[in-house]
Amino acid sequence: MQSRSCVALADVNAHKARLLVIAPLRIECVAVRRGLPEALVLRSGMGAARARSTALVAARISADAVAVAGFCGAVAGGFGAGGVGGARWVPRPACRG
């Protein structure tokens, strides 16, 4: 499947991806596409409101796995160039009926 930065809401249900990657910045999307050309890549933009909007779109895409990729500036003093960080847990919002 070809990588795309945006997926139209009308087309979302037609997408089946092995890997869906969400990245906030354009430069991060470019880096992901270079390393994972088979992934479906969504650019979320920065901030909570944009993250929520992207999450609504991503929830409608059928994918075997979902990852969030991005640069972490000043996340912690122990990180150096090329460091990789990961979450110990991911909170799940309560389901709304």
Side-chain angles (χ1 to χ4, degrees):
M1 174 173 281
Q2 183 180 11
S3 296
R4 297 173 60 181
S5 60
C6 296
V7 177
L9 287 175
D11 297 334
V12 151
N13 291 326
H15 280 85
K16 170 66 174 142
R18 291 199 45 132
L19 175 61
L20 169 62
V21 180
I22 302 167
L25 303 178
R26 182 178 182 276
I27 192 168
E28 295 162 340
C29 289
V30 169
V32 170
R33 280 191 206 98
R34 282 188 183 156
L36 297 167
E38 70 282 359
L40 176 62
V41 181
L42 294 181
R43 186 171 127 196
S44 65
M46 289 177 47
R50 290 181 176 154
R52 276 190 290 277
S53 296
T54 303
L56 293 173
V57 172
R60 296 179 59 198
I61 296 173
S62 177
D64 295 333
V66 179
V68 177
F71 304 122
C72 297
V75 129
F79 277 99
V84 176
R88 291 185 185 171
W89 60 276
V90 177
R92 182 176 177 172
C95 295
R96 291 175 176 42

